[in-house]
Amino acid sequence: MATPTGGTGGTDGIRPAARTEGGRPPLPRELLLVTGLFLVYKFGRLLANGHETAAFRNADLVWDAERALHFPGEGAVQQLLLHGEPLVRVANTYYAAVHFPATIAFLAWLYWRHPAHYVWSRRVLALLTGAALALHILVPLAPPRMLASAGLVDTARVYGPSVYGAVPEADSMANQFAAMPSLHFGWALMVAIGLIAATRSPLRWWWLLHPALTLFVIVGTANHYWTDALAAAVLLGFALLVVPTPVRPPHAPSDAPPAVPRQRAGGGPASAGSASTGSAPSGVRR
């Protein structure tokens, strides 16, 4: 038989689970794992370098397919940014500076507050990123800012700031021919989905503004086609189907103490009748 602990908030006779129980993995292991996954992705993208001819051929195919399917023109979105240079710079800065920090902050917060959702989100992001890496290698794709027929402005190069080298073929730090899928959009969408799944606030749906703004930025800066975001959403959907969703914990029990029976003058518990009236029954001498 379990020994009562005398505490509150758990089942009688059973010690309630500690906060660290139930799925929070060791922090050093997670830091090594996330760092290793990032390095594999970062250097794995470089395997697609040297396929410029295929990248531009695929870009022409994507551009023509979007026009045949009557997708909205990427140029219409870019024109909204080109109304003012400060707006373009903000969009370029968002593209360069928000992607990784937002995802890291998302994982760190889940690790501390919702360990089960952290493990789920980390697995989904790893699966999404691995699938994206395979597609980057198999289908090299030049972004629309490089496609002459698109007539778009490379806003990062013209207005700054830019995370890419001026000459794509000589850029040893990044693969500029890995436009599809857009992990900027895929990760942003998972951040929103993860926060919506892990929290209960009625305002949690506002997190969808993050992927919406990211989509506007990646298209408006001519770094991605609409199709790149669509491909990322499809891959994320498959990852969410494969990785089991964590079960929400039940609502915490009320902290109110149990009701204490009222005491009679003689020290014993009062009966239901006497407790409700506060006097002796009629006809009985006290």
Side-chain angles (χ1 to χ4, degrees):
M1 177 182 294
T3 303
T5 61
T8 60
T11 305
D12 291 344
I14 300 177
R15 181 171 60 88
R19 182 174 182 178
T20 55
E21 296 173 353
R24 181 177 294 125
L27 181 58
R29 189 192 74 182
E30 289 304 305
L31 291 175
L32 289 174
L33 179 60
V34 173
T35 302
L37 290 173
F38 169 74
L39 293 177
V40 168
Y41 164 72
K42 189 67 175 177
F43 290 103
R45 280 169 54 103
L46 299 180
L47 294 176
N49 275 340
H51 297 84
E52 291 82 5
T53 301
F56 281 103
R57 182 175 63 250
N58 292 333
D60 288 329
L61 292 174
V62 168
W63 184 261
D64 292 341
E66 287 190 352
R67 306 291 77 78
L69 294 172
H70 303 289
F71 277 35
E74 285 85 351
V77 180
Q78 185 171 87
Q79 288 303 315
L80 297 176
L81 291 179
L82 295 179
H83 281 303
E85 184 173 333
L87 184 59
V88 180
R89 290 183 178 274
V90 169
N92 291 334
T93 302
Y94 188 95
Y95 181 85
V98 173
H99 178 47
F100 286 111
T103 307
I104 293 172
F106 160 71
L107 290 173
W109 184 81
L110 283 184
Y111 178 86
W112 177 247
R113 297 296 299 273
H114 302 278
H117 283 81
Y118 161 77
V119 174
W120 168 65
S121 298
R122 187 248 292 152
R123 289 173 177 169
V124 171
L125 284 172
L127 188 56
L128 167 64
T129 305
L133 177 60
L135 198 57
H136 290 161
I137 296 173
L138 295 173
V139 187
L141 181 66
R145 57 187 168 82
M146 296 183 186
L147 195 59
S149 59
L152 299 174
V153 177
D154 186 344
T155 61
R157 184 177 61 83
V158 175
Y159 299 98
S162 176
V163 295
Y164 299 119
V167 181
E169 295 82 358
D171 192 352
S172 61
M173 298 303 296
N175 175 19
Q176 298 192 45
F177 300 107
M180 180 184 293
S182 168
L183 281 180
H184 273 75
F185 179 74
W187 286 12
L189 185 57
M190 183 56 206
V191 166
I193 291 174
L195 291 172
I196 291 171
T199 57
R200 295 183 180 274
S201 168
L203 300 178
R204 67 188 186 275
W205 297 101
W206 285 99
W207 285 112
L208 290 173
L209 287 176
H210 177 44
L213 181 58
T214 300
L215 179 60
F216 175 76
V217 166
I218 64 175
V219 173
T221 57
N223 281 293
H224 288 282
Y225 307 90
W226 295 110
T227 309
D228 300 337
L230 180 61
V234 170
L235 291 179
L236 177 59
F238 281 119
L240 290 170
L241 288 175
V242 171
V243 181
T245 306
V247 179
R248 283 180 177 270
H251 287 290
S254 174
D255 294 332
V260 178
R262 297 180 61 181
Q263 300 294 320
R264 296 182 61 179
S271 64
S274 60
S276 61
T277 62
S279 61
S282 175
V284 178
R285 298 178 62 185
R286 298 181 65 90

